[in-house]
Amino acid sequence: GLDSFKALAHTWLDLMQSGTSSTVSAGSSSAAAEPPRANGNQRQPLGLVVSGGGFRTMTAGMAFARAMSQSFDEVEGSSWADVTHLGGNSGGQWFASQFALSR
């Protein structure tokens, strides 16, 4: 349930704050160094992409967004403002559209 989404969300935030670019999916991650921005600060690109699969995938995207919101509350220095990219396909795009328009 939501606890597994929260565990994934915490992994995602930990990798983001460690100073590496990351790809996280259910059970796997990879990381590479991110170059500094022009002002010298590190800013990790953080993308939320939800795959296709119709209504079930849209619902899973909403559950993950809820888990991310709770994780942002628990991890100091993180917020939805850290998300730099948003994408989706089929049901994932239904979620992404609702998410983008809710901001």
Side-chain angles (χ1 to χ4, degrees):
L2 190 57
D3 288 337
S4 60
F5 279 118
K6 263 183 89 170
L8 184 59
H10 274 282
T11 300
W12 201 27
L13 292 172
D14 289 343
L15 287 169
M16 181 190 73
Q17 291 183 339
S18 71
T20 59
S21 293
S22 306
T23 301
V24 177
S25 61
S28 67
S29 66
S30 62
E34 171 71 16
R37 291 190 290 174
N39 65 5
N41 293 333
Q42 294 283 78
R43 171 100 196 271
Q44 297 302 293
L46 180 61
L48 176 58
V49 181
V50 182
S51 67
F55 184 77
R56 287 179 292 182
T57 301
M58 179 186 71
T59 304
M62 290 189 288
F64 186 73
R66 181 176 173 196
M68 284 298 296
S69 293
Q70 291 176 0
S71 295
F72 286 144
D73 292 342
E74 296 169 5
V75 177
E76 187 175 332
S78 62
S79 72
W80 279 112
D82 295 330
V83 177
T84 58
H85 299 81
L86 177 65
N89 179 42
S90 184
Q93 186 57 43
W94 296 342
F95 161 76
S97 297
Q98 292 175 33
F99 181 81
L101 294 173
S102 71
R103 296 281 153 212

